[in-house]
């Protein structure tokens, strides 16, 4: 298997204050853990290119793009951060980082569809799944996975794709981008009730987003996958699978109150791999979303990548 790891130095230059959990050290923790696990030499490292605005515009409104592009502070600004919401802001590098994050997902999609790669992990930030077509929110600027999924359909002509979101939060931005679009099946679980307090009021047939209570462990989530995700995925028969790979449902992550461990992330990834091999020529592009305990994040991404690369 050839598994690529897309990232870019600009993704470590975007930051929202020293107190903020969505911090550049997250990407360093992932890279350090890949080295410590001795799988770094087995992965195809690739520099993420910037997305261009026409690619963003497949998902986002012109206003949403303008707001990020024009509001990043410059050397002349009297402030370091431009606030977008209570916990999302721009620094001087945010536009560049956001372009690299979306660009990683698009480039990975191109390479996987071309058959150069079996699959890819995009180790990027800012994350994306809370960003709606019209609004940045919840640490997210542009919806990297949604942009890649639209690219696969609009540019490469794929007719059916699936988005699997295992972040602890509901991917409200992805849902907003694709609700009612029969080409796209979204499956997720999310802690409920919890930020962003959405995901339960939309019975659209293509949205299999399953609320689970706080203090749920891997057993509960695995049952959701077996009972709800897999039947929907087998029915949809996606030609490619995109993963919103958030690791904040980990037991050691105090952003939320769930109890997953590395073995659960490996198991979920294995199930996604099986569906991808059955219907999608194995094509998977996975993009980092949440995950704020640095040690648990690094270990969980290693577990995820080991399954993608079939290293164990
Ligand atoms: Zn999250």
């Amino acid at each position: 298997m050839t598994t690529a790891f897309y990232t870019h130095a600009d993704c470590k230059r975007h930051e929202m204050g020293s107190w903020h959990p969505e911090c550049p050290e997250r990407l360093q923790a992932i890279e350090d853990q890949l080295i410590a696990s001795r799988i770094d030499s087995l992965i195809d490292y690739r520099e993420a290119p910037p997305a261009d605005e026409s690619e963003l515009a497949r998902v986002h409104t012109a206003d949403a793009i303008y707001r990020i592009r024009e509001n990043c502070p410059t050397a002349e600004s009297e402030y370091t951060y431009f606030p977008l919401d209570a916990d999302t802001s721009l620094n001087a590098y945010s536009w560049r980082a956001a372009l690299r994050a979306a660009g990683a997902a698009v480039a990975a999609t191109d390479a996987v569809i071309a058959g150069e790669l079996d699959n890819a992990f995009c180790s990027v930030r800012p994350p994306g799944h809370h960003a709606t077509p019209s609004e940045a929110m919840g640490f997210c600027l542009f919806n990297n996975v949604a942009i890649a999924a639209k690219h696969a359909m609009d540019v490469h002509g794929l007719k059916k794709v699936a988005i699997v979101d295992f972040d602890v939060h509901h991917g409200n931005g992805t849902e907003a981008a694709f609700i009612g679009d029969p080409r796209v099946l979204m499956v997720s679980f999310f802690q409920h009730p919890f930020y962003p307090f959405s995901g339960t009021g939309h019975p659209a047939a293509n949205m299999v987003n399953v609320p689970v209570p706080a203090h749920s462990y891997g057993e509960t989530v695995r049952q959701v996958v077996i009972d709800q995700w897999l039947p929907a995925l087998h029915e949809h028969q996606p030609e490619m699978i995109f993963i919103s790979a958030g690791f904040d449902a980990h037991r050691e992550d105090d952003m939320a109150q769930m109890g997953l461990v590395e073995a659960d992330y490996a198991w979920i990834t294995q199930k996604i791999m099986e569906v991808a091999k059955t219907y999608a020529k194995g094509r998977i592009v996975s993009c980092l979303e949440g995950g704020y305990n640095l040690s648990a994040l690094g270990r969980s991404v290693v577990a995820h990548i080991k399954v993608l690369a079939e290293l164990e």
Side-chain angles (χ1 to χ4, degrees):
M1 297 292 286
T2 306
T3 296
F5 182 92
Y6 281 85
T7 192
H8 192 277
D10 282 346
C11 293
K12 292 181 185 153
R13 296 182 176 118
H14 159 71
E15 52 84 24
M16 300 182 282
S18 59
W19 58 275
H20 204 295
E22 204 293 278
C23 60
E25 290 77 10
R26 298 176 63 231
L27 301 189
Q28 194 60 54
I30 290 169
E31 289 163 30
D32 288 351
Q33 200 60 242
L34 285 173
I35 293 165
S37 306
R38 302 186 177 186
I39 63 168
D40 58 309
S41 60
L42 306 172
I43 305 294
D44 183 352
Y45 283 80
R46 296 192 174 198
E47 183 154 281
D52 63 52
E53 290 189 36
S54 64
E55 291 165 340
L56 306 179
R58 290 201 179 93
V59 170
H60 295 285
T61 63
D63 275 357
I65 296 168
Y66 177 90
R67 195 149 183 250
I68 309 297
R69 189 184 61 220
E70 299 303 321
N71 285 317
C72 290
T74 64
E76 290 78 46
S77 301
E78 290 167 6
Y79 47 88
T80 308
Y81 304 107
F82 180 88
L84 295 168
D85 73 13
D87 50 24
T88 312
S89 58
L90 305 174
N91 78 348
Y93 297 96
S94 299
W95 169 249
R96 278 179 264 178
L99 291 183
R100 297 286 179 177
V106 169
T109 300
D110 286 337
V112 168
I113 290 176
E116 283 172 46
L117 301 171
D118 292 299
N119 53 44
F121 180 75
C122 300
S123 190
V124 294
R125 47 185 296 282
H129 76 152
H130 294 307
T132 73
S134 61
E135 197 171 20
M137 62 178 274
F139 313 168
C140 300
L141 301 183
F142 299 124
N143 196 317
N144 307 316
V145 160
I147 289 164
K150 283 259 188 178
H151 180 81
M153 295 187 290
D154 292 0
V155 175
H156 294 285
L158 299 196
K159 293 183 173 58
K160 287 187 294 182
V161 302
I163 297 173
V164 177
D165 186 330
F166 58 68
D167 190 276
V168 78
H169 301 93
H170 174 235
N172 62 297
T174 311
E175 181 172 275
F178 295 116
I179 191 163
D181 183 340
R183 301 173 300 167
V184 182
L185 170 69
M186 178 181 183
V187 301
S188 79
F189 71 85
F190 57 95
Q191 182 175 320
H192 178 76
F194 198 48
Y195 183 89
F197 305 101
S198 53
T200 55
H202 301 290
N206 68 322
M207 292 290 147
V208 182
N209 298 325
V210 184
V212 296
H215 310 295
S216 295
Y217 280 65
E219 193 181 335
T220 302
V221 168
R222 291 184 193 210
Q223 209 58 48
V224 166
V225 172
I226 291 167
D227 293 343
Q228 305 199 52
W229 289 13
L230 292 177
L233 287 163
H234 285 298
E235 190 182 333
H236 189 62
Q237 303 189 5
E239 297 170 286
M240 185 159 180
I241 299 179
F242 298 88
I243 304 178
S244 268
F247 299 90
D248 40 8
H250 195 283
R251 190 171 297 183
E252 294 165 31
D253 198 311
D254 60 11
M255 179 70 72
Q257 293 80 42
M258 283 190 54
L260 269 56
V261 294
E262 293 92 303
D264 296 311
Y265 291 113
W267 184 90
I268 294 169
T269 308
Q270 187 62 48
K271 295 296 161 196
I272 301 168
M273 286 277 282
E274 288 165 17
V275 174
K277 284 185 177 179
T278 304
Y279 304 109
K281 303 178 187 172
R283 298 188 286 214
I284 295 173
V285 169
S286 176
C287 296
L288 182 66
E289 300 283 0
Y292 304 98
N293 177 298
L294 297 180
S295 173
L297 172 64
R299 288 181 278 122
S300 299
V301 171
V302 165
H304 179 56
I305 289 177
K306 277 184 173 175
V307 176
L308 289 176
E310 298 194 315
L311 296 175
E312 62 179 30

